[in-house]
Amino acid sequence: MPRSVPLELIRNIGIIAHIDAGKTTTTERVLYYTGRTYKLGEVDDGTAKMDWMEQEKERGITITAAATTCYWQDHHINIIDTPGHVDFTAEVERSLRVLDGGIVVLDAVAGVEPQSETVWRQADRYGVPRICFVNKMDRVGADFYRTVEMISERLSATALPIQLPLGSEASFEGVVDLIEGKAWVFPEELTEDPVEKDIPQEYEESSRSYREEMVERLAENDDQMMTLYLEGGEVSASELKGALRRATIANKVVPVLCGSALRNKGIQPLLDSIIDYLPSPAEVPSVVGIDPKTGKEIYRSSSEGFPFSALAFKVVADPFVGRLVYFRVYSGKVEARAQVYNSRREHRERIGRLLRMHANTREEVDRVEAGDIAAALGLKNTFTGDTLCNPNALIILEAISFPEPVISVAIEPRTKADQDRLDGAMTKLAEEDPTFVIRYDGETGQTIISGMGELHIEVIVERMWREFNVRANVGKPQVAYRETITVPVKAEGKFIKQTGGRGQYGHVWIELAPGERGSGFEFVNRIEGGVVPKQYIPHVERGIKDVMASGVLAGYPLVDVKVTLYDGSFHQVDSSDIAFKIAGSMALRDGVRRAKPILLEPIVKMEVATPEEFLGDVIGDLNSRRGQVNSIESHGAIKIVRCFVPLAETFGYATDLRSISQGRANYSMEFYRYEEGPQDLAEQLTVKVGGA
């Protein structure tokens, strides 16, 4: 049976950006102009189709990535609108993992902001080709050319403007198309089409200059364009488009467009650029996986003849239809009610219904094919990052990695009736969100939940109440500190217990060494001559990992440690798994105490935008929070302060900043890395744990 949509006519794209750059507003305009919706949704009045959660409507921000499908010039476009707030960065991570192209929306006033840099790095990691849309060109202070410079400087990208703005701020009315050599003016009326005009005389020189620069840059990055350039003839629009498409898909250049989504300006050319410059599934490299039987690399292509393989990237507990699993098909096809194999968890699953999603509404389909993004009902034991494949052609695709949570709070049900529902609600939310982590603290008897920030935890708790009717009390936020060691040591662990019958005997020698920051835990087995039998070595490692979960300073997880097992002894009769597990834990605990352990605290990268008259107060407040100012830039009357601040010092900062600046300053932040905390902080936390 032939494909329902030819592969070359499919585009899988994501809308990504810093918070409040206009992603959702841009997506709403795309849906309107493609005929997917017949009424414009607005973020500010809570009618945006893609922000369908009640909390999204109330807060005016995107919390969860929403998928939809629309059509433009006979092309089938799957779109994922992602959150911009750093607390929900996992939504961006998993979306980029399965997309073929991205639209990076930038605020023409603010330019490249911190979260723009974060999503850019995420897209780099997955090799996703991008185009940039400089939004809000109608706002006071909008500067297209400065934003293009910031793309080149801050993102280290080859930014190629393919449009120039006609006017700016209140006089912004359209764009100059540098490729076709014409201008487009966008009427104020929503239903009217853009008007094609000749390039105004005052823009002719700059248009010619930017077009020549575009040709030169493309010649540097595309062999065919280099040949045309050296021949010295006029380069046609179709030749320019071909070269620009090849260079964009190869991630060598980034086309830059401009407009104002809120004023409905620039959306149609943006849609054309999605078709013209972003790749179809047939133009991206074949996906690489592992054969679970042999461990060798194998490839799956979206072309005909390859067996079914897909990656589950999102799980949603839908209140109307049940547990939905979103997945991207990389090869082959699958039909509703088909049996598939989850190769990561090694069990068979049966797909119930197949659905194409439009935010929170659904359209049932009979089958999905390579290049499609869809959702399935009936997959009870499939989770984010799992591989689904043909039971007769096994493959494990690379899973999705997520950042570690940085904030924890204790949670308890308000009533006995809430107790039973709380566990179920948390389990479902943890299935949806891999950065929401639950653990039980045996020492205090508390349930601890962890997330990416105060807003993340707040949203989770509110969802428990609204979606699962669970009311809970939440403690004050606690920072997710870590512990590590600073000097190498050798340590012995010997566990001997003699009872009336068979005793217990386990004996190991280990060497501890500090690892590179961010390296995690590494276990090396250097046992020779069978002094510790092979069957006991995994249990030694397990005992070591148990101690790693709660360090010796203040009970925080131990990280960035390399442990080498190099010697030991055993008893023919008394040695056992549990004896060597205890010996391993004893050795690590003793070694860490002598390895000069230190406390690590999470540091965030913060950007504060403040009017100049409040700059001194803002910097003074940051210094009082142990902040390190990295740079100060001027954007007109606004000063941009970039700094690094310990996460523990940022709680309540929004309120304090409003007070300092009479409500005129704002800030954004993202996790940066773990660094050694001051001695007095380690002493405070140690005393607190000791006192408890």
Side-chain angles (χ1 to χ4, degrees), residues 35-36 45 58 73 89 144 151 214 234 257 305 320 334 347 394 410 429 495 591 611 641 651 676:
R36 181 76 213 203
D45 58 21
E58 290 171 7
Q73 294 181 5
T89 189
F144 173 77
I151 294 171
M214 186 201 311
E234 183 64 28
L257 300 89
F320 300 105
V334 68
H347 64 76
L394 303 186
L429 290 170
F495 178 67
V641 182
F651 296 145
E676 181 177 350

Side-chain angles (χ1 to χ4, degrees), residues 73-107:
Q73 294 181 5
D74 299 325
H75 284 68
H76 177 118
I77 306 175
N78 294 315
I79 299 176
I80 297 182
D81 175 34
T82 65
H85 198 287
V86 67
D87 282 17
F88 309 107
T89 189
E91 294 287 332
V92 184
E93 187 79 30
R94 59 176 158 204
S95 299
L96 286 172
R97 172 68 176 81
V98 298
L99 293 169
D100 301 326
I103 300 171
V104 182
V105 181
L106 300 168
D107 185 326

Side-chain angles (χ1 to χ4, degrees), residues 13 50 77 94 308 310 414 444-445 480 537 552 585 589-590 665:
I13 63 160
M50 301 302 281
I77 306 175
R94 59 176 158 204
F308 169 69
R414 289 189 184 176
T444 63
I537 290 172
V552 300
S585 63
R589 199 173 292 278
D590 173 59

Side-chain angles (χ1 to χ4, degrees), residues 241-554:
K241 282 186 177 181
L244 189 56
R245 179 180 183 81
R246 291 188 296 272
T248 303
I249 291 173
N251 267 316
K252 293 180 178 178
V253 303
V254 180
V256 184
L257 300 89
C258 61
S260 170
L262 189 63
R263 299 285 173 257
N264 315 310
K265 299 181 189 297
I267 303 302
Q268 296 95 327
L270 177 63
L271 281 162
D272 290 340
S273 296
I274 292 170
I275 304 304
D276 290 340
Y277 309 122
L278 292 180
S280 72
E283 294 170 296
V284 296
S286 299
V287 69
V288 182
I290 300 294
D291 186 325
K293 293 179 180 177
T294 65
K296 293 181 179 178
E297 282 191 353
I298 48 177
Y299 295 83
R300 291 280 191 270
S301 169
S302 55
S303 56
E304 294 287 337
F306 283 86
F308 169 69
S309 66
L311 183 74
F313 68 93
K314 185 178 172 74
V315 177
V316 174
D318 191 291
F320 300 105
V321 296
R323 190 176 190 271
L324 277 172
V325 176
Y326 286 70
F327 62 95
R328 157 74 190 263
V329 183
Y330 283 99
S331 63
K333 60 189 176 187
V334 68
E335 297 182 348
R337 293 169 291 282
Q339 191 176 79
V340 296
Y341 189 75
N342 184 326
S343 56
R344 190 166 293 279
R345 301 187 186 273
E346 300 182 346
H347 64 76
R348 291 175 184 262
E349 291 260 56
R350 184 172 294 279
I351 290 177
R353 293 156 58 197
L354 288 171
L355 307 168
R356 285 200 198 282
M357 301 302 296
H358 178 46
N360 63 331
T361 59
R362 299 157 294 277
E363 172 193 340
E364 193 162 346
V365 294
D366 294 327
R367 66 170 177 168
V368 289
E369 302 161 300
D372 284 338
I373 292 175
L377 287 167
L379 299 173
K380 296 178 181 177
N381 297 302
T382 296
F383 300 89
T384 300
D386 286 356
T387 301
L388 300 173
C389 59
N390 186 315
N392 300 316
L394 303 186
I395 186 174
I396 299 178
L397 302 177
E398 181 187 352
I400 309 168
S401 59
F402 295 101
E404 289 287 319
V406 294
I407 284 184
S408 301
V409 297
I411 187 169
E412 60 182 24
R414 289 189 184 176
T415 66
K416 190 164 180 61
D418 288 323
Q419 175 68 62
D420 299 331
R421 294 193 296 267
L422 179 62
D423 290 342
M426 289 195 300
T427 300
K428 287 182 178 178
L429 290 170
E431 283 184 10
E432 289 189 21
D433 185 352
T435 58
F436 172 56
V437 178
I438 311 157
R439 68 180 174 86
Y440 178 74
D441 190 324
E443 292 183 7
T444 63
Q446 291 179 308
T447 299
I448 308 296
I449 57 174
S450 304
M452 299 305 297
E454 290 179 276
L455 179 61
H456 188 201
I457 296 291
E458 188 182 320
V459 166
I460 288 284
V461 173
E462 203 169 320
R463 286 189 65 191
M464 287 183 193
W465 169 46
R466 294 191 179 202
E467 296 175 28
F468 301 96
N469 197 27
V470 176
R471 289 186 177 273
N473 294 323
V474 178
K476 289 184 178 179
Q478 300 293 317
V479 176
Y481 293 104
R482 298 285 186 267
E483 297 178 21
T484 192
I485 61 173
T486 55
V487 297
V489 296
K490 292 182 178 180
E492 179 186 25
K494 183 180 277 191
F495 178 67
I496 303 174
K497 186 175 182 182
Q498 204 61 48
T499 57
R502 178 180 170 181
Q504 297 284 358
Y505 184 95
H507 178 217
V508 296
W509 276 96
I510 61 173
E511 184 176 358
L512 280 68
E516 292 288 327
R517 192 72 73 238
S519 61
F521 168 67
E522 182 184 357
F523 179 79
V524 179
N525 173 22
R526 274 210 345 244
I527 291 294
E528 295 177 359
V531 291
V532 176
K534 281 184 181 177
Q535 67 266 29
Y536 296 135
I537 290 172
H539 298 281
V540 176
E541 183 178 0
R542 202 165 298 139
I544 289 170
K545 283 183 175 177
D546 285 348
V547 177
M548 296 280 294
S550 57
V552 300
L553 262 185

